[in-house]
Amino acid sequence: MISLIFAMDINNLIGKDNDLPWHYSEDLKYFKAVTSGKKVVMGENTFFSIVNRIGKPLPNRENYVATLANDFNYPNVNVINDLISFLKTIKDVSEEYFIIGGKRIYELSLPYADRLYITHIKNMKVMFIFQKLIIQNIKKLNLIKLMN
């Protein structure tokens, strides 16, 4: 099972400069609660933004990094060099894999998604340039969570 998890503001902003454009502890706690003990799939830039922020891959999760770099290697991290083939392989397994970003990984994964976990950020005081994430062809919208 493939699930996408992300937060977005009223303008569909999901990130800025390879980072979250907000810091809501409630959203981070929710993300941790939902993804702990699970498998998380991300792009290389998202992976390094996490490592730069917390000093290591996401703890208590099996980390997968999708990259086109054949020489990518990081201790205790699974490397995906062909994301589409990987998604097709895990599409029908019962275990849930969480796609956690970035933008291009979301776009490539969306057609294979079974669930979306979306946090809606309602109060954004500073707006940034954004790229809309188009949500289509989803079989099941699992959860919508509103944050003030």
Side-chain angles (χ1 to χ4, degrees):
M1 175 187 312
I2 299 171
S3 298
L4 277 64
I5 184 168
F6 57 93
M8 60 194 272
D9 74 2
I10 59 173
N11 293 308
N12 299 326
L13 175 72
I14 62 171
K16 164 101 172 74
D17 297 331
N18 204 39
D19 202 359
L20 294 175
W22 49 75
H23 182 85
Y24 288 117
S25 62
E26 297 89 357
D27 180 48
L28 297 174
K29 288 176 188 173
Y30 172 73
F31 176 85
K32 181 179 180 180
V34 171
T35 62
S36 285
K38 306 288 179 141
K39 297 178 181 198
V40 292
V41 178
M42 68 201 87
E44 189 174 348
N45 289 337
T46 298
F47 173 75
F48 282 118
S49 73
I50 291 167
V51 170
N52 289 337
R53 182 179 289 252
I54 66 172
K56 59 185 175 184
L58 287 172
N60 304 315
R61 298 160 188 91
E62 190 170 338
N63 289 259
Y64 288 79
V65 175
T67 178
L68 297 175
N70 291 327
D71 60 345
F72 179 87
N73 189 7
Y74 201 94
N76 301 313
V77 171
N78 300 293
V79 178
I80 303 166
N81 290 117
D82 183 347
L83 181 62
I84 300 303
S85 294
F86 179 78
L87 293 170
K88 289 176 180 178
T89 301
I90 64 169
K91 176 73 178 129
D92 294 319
V93 301
S94 61
E95 189 171 9
E96 192 168 20
Y97 287 74
F98 283 91
I99 308 300
I100 66 168
K103 177 185 167 285
R104 185 69 179 137
I105 303 302
Y106 284 131
E107 289 172 341
L108 292 171
S109 302
L110 191 57
Y112 300 93
D114 300 295
R115 291 186 181 154
L116 298 178
Y117 293 78
I118 305 170
T119 299
H120 290 274
I121 306 295
K122 296 194 308 187
N123 292 331
M124 277 299 294
K125 306 226 179 329
V126 179
M127 296 299 157
F128 300 102
I129 297 171
F130 63 91
Q131 177 68 37
K132 287 187 178 181
L133 178 66
I134 300 170
I135 300 171
Q136 59 187 355
N137 299 322
I138 296 299
K139 296 179 189 125
K140 182 176 179 183
L141 179 62
N142 190 47
L143 178 65
I144 297 176
K145 186 176 177 202
L146 299 176
M147 301 294 293
N148 288 321

